Amino acid sequence: MTLLDPTGPTTDDALGSLSTQPTAPEEQVAPKGRGLLGTLRLGWRRLTSMRTALQLLFLLSLAAVPGGLLPQRGQEAARVQAYRTTHKTLGPFFDRLSLFDVFKAPWFAAIYVLLFVSLVGCLAPRIKLHAKALRKPPPKTPARLSRLPSGSTTWTAAGNPESVLAAAKPLLSGWRVAARTDARGDSLSAERGYARETGNLLFHVSLVLLLIGVAIGSLYGYEGDRVLADGSGFINTHLQYDEYRPGGLVTDGSLDTWTIQLNKFVATYRADGSPADYVAHTTFTPAGGKQRAVDVKVNHPLMAGSGTKVYLLNHGYAPVFALTDAAGKSTSSPPVICAPIESRNLLSRCELSFGGLPEISGRPSDLAFDIDFAPTGQLTNSLDLISTSPEVKLPTFQVAPYVGSLGHPVNVESLDYSGLQQLPKLTGAILPDSTKPLVTSLRNLPGGYRLSVVGIRQWASFQVKRDPAKKLVLLAAIGIVSGLVLSLRVRRRRLWIRAVVAPARPGSDSPRSVVEVGGLARSDQEAFRAETKTLVGALRGATGSIDPTDAPAESEGTST
Amino acid sequence: MIDIGLARISNDLLVVAVLAYSLAMLGYGAEFAFSARPKKPRLVAHAAASLDDLVTAAATAPAAKHRAASSVSGSPRGEKLGRYAVGLTMFGWLAHIGCVVTRGLAAHRTPWGNMYEFSIMVTLAAVTVFLGSLIRHKLRYLGTFVMLPVVVTLGIAGTLLYSKAEPLQPALQSYWLKIHVTAAITAWGVFMVGAVQTVLYLLQERRERRLVLAEATAATVHAAEGSTLVLTTGASGGRLEGMLSRLPDADALDAAAYKTIAFGFPIWTFAIICGSIWAEAAWGRYWGWDPKETWSFITWVVYAGYLHARATAGWRGRKASFIAMVAFACLTIDYYVVNIVVTGLHSYAGL
């Protein structure tokens, strides 16, 4: 049914986007053009159809499933490695399919890129359509209101059509109203709820903005990790990071050269050993600015200016050792960063080496130590070291000394044991607040050296992050939520009221009109029926006496 | 210091709530059993002009019985039982609230820091949504079906997931906890109710389809005799016939399910966004494809698929409802599997 032709099925065009039926499949209408152009047009139509959007959404969620079940290299590289070693055939197979790197995989990107292209292709015409609809008045009154899906209500009212419609106007406050006169009589067209489509468009446009923000952030932002022991600091340059992950378009010289120095990391624990709070007391010096003291905590990063933030990540212990030679000369090591191998009670492991020591009998005699440290140590029956508390109550070291040639280690972090020979392992505890040397046997290291613990400091790891598009992403997120709420809650309605002169009642001169009210609802049919009933009741009351013989007749409408 | 006394009271109140909900569940079921079936509509076809007319008449028969009230037409006994059931639900709800409050007071913090507490909060949200909807809409028929997952979830929480009242770890000490977790829990509860409605819709829709088929078959048989015949909407013969015939029709259930899910979806979106804002403040990145983040994303995308399906020709109705069930399955995985099986930055939200 078109507006002017009452016969035939309701098409999308006539009643426009107000149809309560889902959009007809575009595939049924072949676009013009043959050959390549026609194929492209058809392809574009298909890509921007709801059906394709549905399929792509499912594909996207399906593609993300392995990312949620298998360990991902971006967060847990160690677990990926462990998975590969335990699953000797599946592991490398999954790896080749990028299942350990799902969200960086090209096939994942292809899905969401296609989805966004489909989205943008669908959005553009819809924005144009909505912009037009916002400027146009509500559509013309259909010829046969009774043929609307929810039917219409008819009754005879007192008064001529002008007065009836004039009485209707105040009832339609909040609606956009247009008065028209056509071949069938005077009528009012009313429409409201444009915000529904506005919200819908806002939501989808915000999704696109979100993607743009994510892209900008990853191209122009950077991330860096650095471990600092109490008393040490670093400058924000790419050279001073333990791990530096710049965005694709970040140049090395573009970082703000601020400095941060860790004065002291403090962890407070409760009686049962669970952590209460972590604080890193630092001194921060902005590039060319004044120093200031800043506390960095887990939920409170340091604002380093221009959108860069410094986060507190992990912590551990960093004992300081000293090697004393037979003559009594001591060499101190820097604080040795010990990595926790057990997270609750911070049993940690570290390596220490002293190179350049004089040879003994012509053989290289550098010393290296493989150290296990427990803040509150205890030996098991099998003489393994365990820690029973994360606080330093009984610092215990288990040291495996090595002597030989240090060789050329592959990286700074681990020793090359190929040229070293292990000496018997030793365990020693240090009483708190003392720097007593470890058990005496460690005195008799080759060359007459003695290893002792000078102090126990802590280290904290920091992650520096800059994301220039964060505000855009936040804005997009706000747009997403507000657009969503509008598009789901606002009710779009169209209403038509037609008043036609009716023959006067015999024996009376007062004018009468036949009034017909009908409407269309995009959503919430039940509520719309109730709304219309209320409106009809109000209009009948406003148009003078309600004659019980003039009860409104309701037509069933054409809804299935 | 943890207040042991209050913690014990919290546990006791949980038991009270579970008992009350279980009894309420029985009450709703009894109301069902005692309620009268809606009158069967009858179609009268005179000297069947053609077989097609009969089949068309049979096909449109279900439409004729619609506009039914969405409440069960009650016998007085059933009505009383129903009201007792609602009363029991409210009593259980108050006990449930008491359980949450005493737990929070015992641990000196808002009580949603581990799976036990989450389960309690989510079920509270579901019951609140159910009770709230009872004010405006006649949805008492939902009672049995909502109480069932609530009781099951609380049962699992109390037995398998129970943990003693404890303070929060430093990472969780942020006001964002309240906002993000409240939103997630609320959305979870709303989706739980939506899933119940979707299941009921699928069952009812299947039953109605079978009815139409049965009538068309009956019409074929009777048409051969060429006489005035009366078609009655007979039983579809399924096992759930008794229960389903007392429920609102499929379209009403579908509309109700859609309303519920459309209410929950913005809340879920807000929960994810809040989580991102908190993640940015705590960990330095608003999105890291942590397993919980990934599964929340998957759930969101599938629910978005459901909303899209409802606006796509041919996908409304049954297909869209299947999508809604898949989405709820993803939500369940997001909650149980991710916390227990998969580990990530969110793992302290687990056991």
Side-chain angles (χ1 to χ4, degrees):
Chain A
M1 169 170 98
T2 64
L3 282 178
L4 301 175
D5 172 21
T7 57
T10 309
T11 62
D12 249 354
D13 289 336
L15 294 163
S17 53
L18 247 307
S19 166
T20 54
Q21 300 309 311
T23 51
E26 288 88 343
E27 289 87 87
Q28 285 180 2
V29 183
K32 294 193 271 260
R34 306 155 76 168
L36 180 64
L37 202 58
T39 315
L40 285 177
R41 277 219 189 94
L42 186 64
W44 180 251
R45 264 294 187 97
R46 283 234 171 89
L47 181 63
T48 54
S49 72
M50 276 294 233
R51 189 158 297 184
T52 311
L54 256 185
Q55 291 161 345
L56 286 172
L57 278 175
F58 292 141
L59 216 54
L60 188 68
S61 56
L62 204 63
V65 168
L69 291 176
L70 294 171
Q72 297 294 296
R73 220 171 240 123
Q75 295 126 33
E76 307 168 294
R79 286 191 64 205
V80 173
Q81 212 31 54
Y83 194 94
R84 283 186 58 129
T85 39
T86 42
H87 300 84
K88 294 218 168 24
T89 31
L90 275 185
F93 176 62
F94 284 164
D95 215 354
R96 237 170 319 123
L97 294 176
S98 305
L99 292 183
F100 296 120
D101 273 306
V102 168
F103 305 105
K104 297 199 178 81
W107 47 264
F108 189 76
I111 297 173
Y112 70 73
V113 164
L114 214 57
L115 190 57
F116 273 92
V117 168
S118 166
L119 171 61
V120 171
C122 178
L123 262 187
R126 251 180 113 132
I127 291 177
K128 269 207 297 224
L129 208 67
H130 186 58
K132 250 202 288 184
L134 282 174
R135 287 191 299 250
K136 280 196 333 215
K140 285 194 263 201
T141 314
R144 297 251 201 103
L145 284 176
S146 51
R147 301 269 289 178
L148 286 170
S150 47
S152 68
T153 310
T154 317
W155 78 96
T156 314
N160 55 18
E162 286 89 39
S163 62
V164 169
L165 293 181
K169 273 236 178 79
L171 297 174
L172 294 172
S173 69
W175 297 66
R176 186 183 291 192
V177 183
R180 288 190 178 92
T181 305
D182 59 23
R184 291 170 179 268
D186 298 335
S187 60
L188 286 182
S189 307
E191 183 164 10
R192 75 159 171 189
Y194 295 94
R196 188 184 180 90
E197 180 70 1
T198 312
N200 188 12
L201 295 171
L202 174 64
F203 169 75
H204 286 95
V205 166
S206 300
L207 283 179
V208 177
L209 283 180
L210 184 76
L211 187 67
I212 292 174
V214 169
I216 293 179
S218 70
L219 283 176
Y220 290 96
Y222 67 88
E223 218 176 78
D225 295 336
R226 176 67 197 245
V227 172
L228 288 178
D230 287 342
S232 45
F234 81 102
I235 308 174
N236 181 30
T237 68
H238 70 282
L239 297 164
Q240 295 214 4
Y241 280 108
D242 296 331
E243 258 187 57
Y244 176 61
R245 294 176 291 272
L249 297 176
V250 174
T251 49
D252 283 339
S254 59
L255 273 56
D256 268 346
T257 49
W258 43 260
T259 315
I260 188 171
Q261 163 113 348
L262 175 66
N263 300 325
K264 194 162 172 59
F265 174 82
V266 175
T268 35
Y269 297 94
R270 299 192 187 97
D272 66 350
S274 60
D277 202 10
Y278 299 130
V279 184
H281 299 290
T282 70
T283 308
F284 175 71
T285 316
K290 229 165 50 111
Q291 282 193 349
R292 61 178 202 268
V294 182
D295 284 348
V296 188
K297 298 172 74 157
V298 172
N299 279 311
H300 300 277
L302 182 159
M303 312 294 199
S306 68
T308 317
K309 291 199 196 173
V310 182
Y311 296 84
L312 176 64
L313 283 189
N314 292 315
H315 66 102
Y317 287 100
V320 183
F321 297 91
L323 192 71
T324 317
D325 68 8
K329 210 179 63 155
S330 263
T331 326
S332 267
S333 72
V336 179
I337 309 288
C338 291
I341 51 179
E342 187 262 315
S343 55
R344 191 179 153 83
N345 292 320
L346 294 179
L347 177 67
S348 315
R349 181 164 289 159
C350 28
E351 288 171 333
L352 177 63
S353 62
F354 293 92
L357 300 177
E359 294 185 352
I360 301 171
S361 321
R363 275 188 310 199
S365 298
D366 293 336
L367 290 171
F369 302 93
D370 197 9
I371 303 167
D372 280 353
F373 167 67
T376 305
Q378 200 176 300
L379 278 184
T380 64
N381 292 338
S382 43
L383 295 183
D384 290 325
L385 182 64
I386 60 165
S387 176
T388 54
S389 164
E391 291 179 273
V392 178
K393 292 183 194 147
L394 186 67
T396 311
F397 293 82
Q398 197 166 60
V399 181
Y402 291 78
V403 66
S405 163
L406 282 178
H408 302 285
V410 176
N411 60 33
V412 196
E413 277 151 25
S414 67
L415 292 173
D416 174 16
Y417 289 94
S418 56
L420 296 169
Q421 183 200 1
Q422 186 173 359
L423 301 171
K425 208 192 279 195
L426 292 155
T427 311
I430 304 176
L431 297 172
D433 294 325
S434 84
T435 55
K436 270 167 63 166
L438 295 174
V439 285
T440 45
S441 343
L442 270 178
R443 294 170 182 273
N444 298 328
L445 293 165
Y449 290 99
R450 174 166 57 94
L451 183 73
S452 52
V453 176
V454 175
I456 299 173
R457 298 202 207 162
Q458 298 201 68
W459 59 262
S461 71
F462 296 93
Q463 184 169 81
V464 179
K465 186 128 198 256
R466 173 153 197 268
D467 184 341
K470 254 190 319 216
K471 287 212 175 76
L472 176 62
V473 171
L474 182 64
L475 217 66
I478 294 174
I480 285 173
V481 175
S482 28
L484 195 57
V485 169
L486 283 176
S487 75
L488 289 174
R489 308 293 290 167
V490 173
R491 294 171 175 165
R492 183 90 178 256
R493 306 272 186 254
R494 275 182 191 162
L495 198 71
W496 294 281
I497 306 177
R498 177 180 277 126
V500 176
V501 175
R505 215 175 308 148
S508 123
D509 250 345
S510 41
R512 296 204 305 168
S513 317
V514 173
V515 188
E516 195 178 9
V517 175
L520 272 183
R522 192 93 171 88
S523 62
D524 230 347
Q525 304 298 329
E526 234 179 84
F528 182 58
R529 268 192 286 274
E531 284 165 32
T532 318
K533 255 208 176 85
T534 320
L535 184 86
V536 164
L539 188 55
R540 292 189 71 212
T543 52
S545 62
I546 299 183
D547 189 328
T549 63
D550 286 339
E554 294 188 21
S555 76
E556 254 310 298
T558 54
S559 67
T560 46
Chain B
M1 272 326 298
I2 309 299
D3 188 336
I4 308 276
L6 279 177
R8 285 221 188 95
I9 293 178
S10 172
N11 297 342
D12 292 338
L13 284 174
L14 177 67
V15 174
V16 169
V18 172
L19 279 176
Y21 289 150
S22 310
L23 288 174
M25 186 164 67
L26 291 176
Y28 292 119
E31 177 188 12
F32 234 36
F34 283 118
S35 67
R37 289 191 194 195
K39 275 231 201 79
K40 299 186 180 122
R42 308 168 113 223
L43 289 180
V44 179
H46 301 277
S50 79
L51 183 57
D52 296 320
D53 285 348
L54 281 171
V55 174
T56 328
T60 52
K65 79 172 163 131
H66 292 179
R67 314 286 125 85
S70 40
S71 73
V72 180
S73 59
S75 72
R77 201 187 332 175
E79 185 71 24
K80 222 183 351 165
L81 281 169
R83 270 192 264 123
Y84 281 156
V86 173
L88 274 171
T89 312
M90 292 183 69
F91 174 67
W93 183 67
L94 288 171
H96 202 158
I97 292 181
C99 166
V100 169
V101 169
T102 44
R103 175 107 175 167
L105 288 174
H108 303 291
R109 60 174 176 81
T110 40
W112 39 73
N114 54 51
M115 279 186 77
Y116 170 71
E117 293 169 356
F118 286 151
S119 298
I120 303 212
M121 288 303 301
V122 164
T123 42
L124 182 63
V127 175
T128 310
V129 168
F130 169 64
L131 284 177
S133 59
L134 279 183
I135 299 175
R136 285 261 222 94
H137 309 281
K138 295 188 187 156
L139 291 178
R140 210 157 64 208
Y141 66 86
L142 269 189
T144 327
F145 309 102
V146 170
M147 286 298 115
L148 184 60
V150 164
V151 168
V152 168
T153 308
L154 285 177
I156 295 177
T159 50
L160 297 175
L161 300 176
Y162 178 71
S163 74
K164 294 204 278 244
E166 274 177 347
L168 280 175
Q169 308 188 2
L172 294 180
Q173 287 166 14
S174 164
Y175 62 86
W176 280 112
L177 177 75
K178 298 188 180 70
I179 306 173
H180 163 64
V181 175
T182 310
I185 285 173
T186 310
W188 215 111
V190 172
F191 283 147
M192 194 188 265
V193 175
V196 167
Q197 291 170 314
T198 308
V199 168
L200 291 180
Y201 162 76
L202 286 170
L203 291 172
Q204 187 71 295
E205 192 266 348
R206 186 177 64 158
R207 171 177 167 262
E208 287 182 1
R209 248 185 311 124
R210 286 203 182 143
L211 278 174
V212 171
L213 216 55
E215 280 153 17
T217 323
T220 324
V221 169
H222 286 292
E225 299 165 18
S227 56
T228 307
L229 58 90
V230 172
L231 295 170
T232 49
T233 315
S236 69
R239 263 176 305 159
L240 299 169
E241 174 61 28
M243 176 184 92
L244 290 175
S245 63
R246 291 175 170 85
L247 287 177
D249 62 298
D251 283 343
L253 285 170
D254 185 38
Y258 169 74
K259 271 209 212 129
T260 310
I261 294 177
F263 178 69
F265 188 67
I267 304 177
W268 183 244
T269 311
F270 179 68
I272 294 177
I273 289 175
C274 265
S276 299
I277 298 177
W278 187 15
E280 206 281 329
W283 301 325
R285 89 288 183 278
Y286 49 78
W287 197 264
W289 297 111
D290 179 62
K292 194 145 198 106
E293 292 171 342
T294 305
W295 277 99
S296 304
F297 170 75
I298 293 172
T299 308
W300 187 88
V301 170
V302 184
Y303 270 118
Y306 166 76
L307 292 175
H308 275 169
R310 279 198 116 248
T312 307
W315 280 79
R316 202 169 185 168
R318 208 153 54 107
K319 285 197 193 155
S321 298
F322 280 136
I323 298 172
M325 293 315 298
V326 169
F328 189 69
C330 292
L331 185 59
T332 311
I333 294 175
D334 187 22
Y335 181 57
Y336 284 106
V337 175
V338 172
N339 279 343
I340 298 175
V341 178
V342 184
T343 54
L345 284 166
H346 266 95
S347 15
Y348 46 61
L351 302 162

